[in-house]
Amino acid sequence: MHLLLDEAQKHGLKSEDFAKAAIMRCGCFQGDQLTASAGTKSLKGLKKKLFTLPARIIFEMKILACTDDRLDIDFHHCPLVAAWQSQGVDDERIAVLCDIAMQGDRGIAKSFGCELKLGETIAKGFDKCEIRFKR
């Protein structure tokens, strides 16, 4: 994503003009598929379909709460931030890229009829990302 937006900027395009909308569309598409495959808009279904054991291992997730209307997860590793850091992206730009990337999760939340609340993030220098889905 960073490289794509970097190239767009080199061609005079402002990534904020299109990136958030495109990532939101992707999140809504994924969310619609997840609700269809889960057969429910319960956040328990989201946990089962999206936050599988392999995903929990990769992102070093800790699921704090899960009900039909609430899903609280802390992520202790972000592969996106690690990749951006390895590409030499500065901290300020990483925070912007993270916000753009989170549009996908916001789109998934929208498909499940809830909102995504974001607390601390690794992209902003914290040791975890606080992800909260709430109906």
Side-chain angles (χ1 to χ4, degrees), residues 8 17 35 38 43-44 46-48 56-57 65 67 71 84 90 99 112 130:
D17 289 348
T35 59
L43 293 177
K44 289 179 183 178
L46 175 60
K47 176 188 168 248
K48 181 180 177 181
R56 290 195 306 254
I57 291 169
T67 68
L71 178 56
W84 296 328
D90 66 52
D99 187 54
F112 276 82
E130 298 173 331

Side-chain angles (χ1 to χ4, degrees), residues 55-62 74-83 85 121-123 126-129 131:
R56 290 195 306 254
I57 291 169
I58 291 167
F59 287 90
E60 299 176 17
M61 290 181 207
K62 182 172 184 180
D74 284 349
F75 289 54
H76 293 276
H77 175 70
C78 179
L80 289 173
V81 170
Q85 288 170 335
T121 65
I122 295 167
F126 293 94
D127 65 345
K128 64 183 174 187
C129 292
I131 309 293

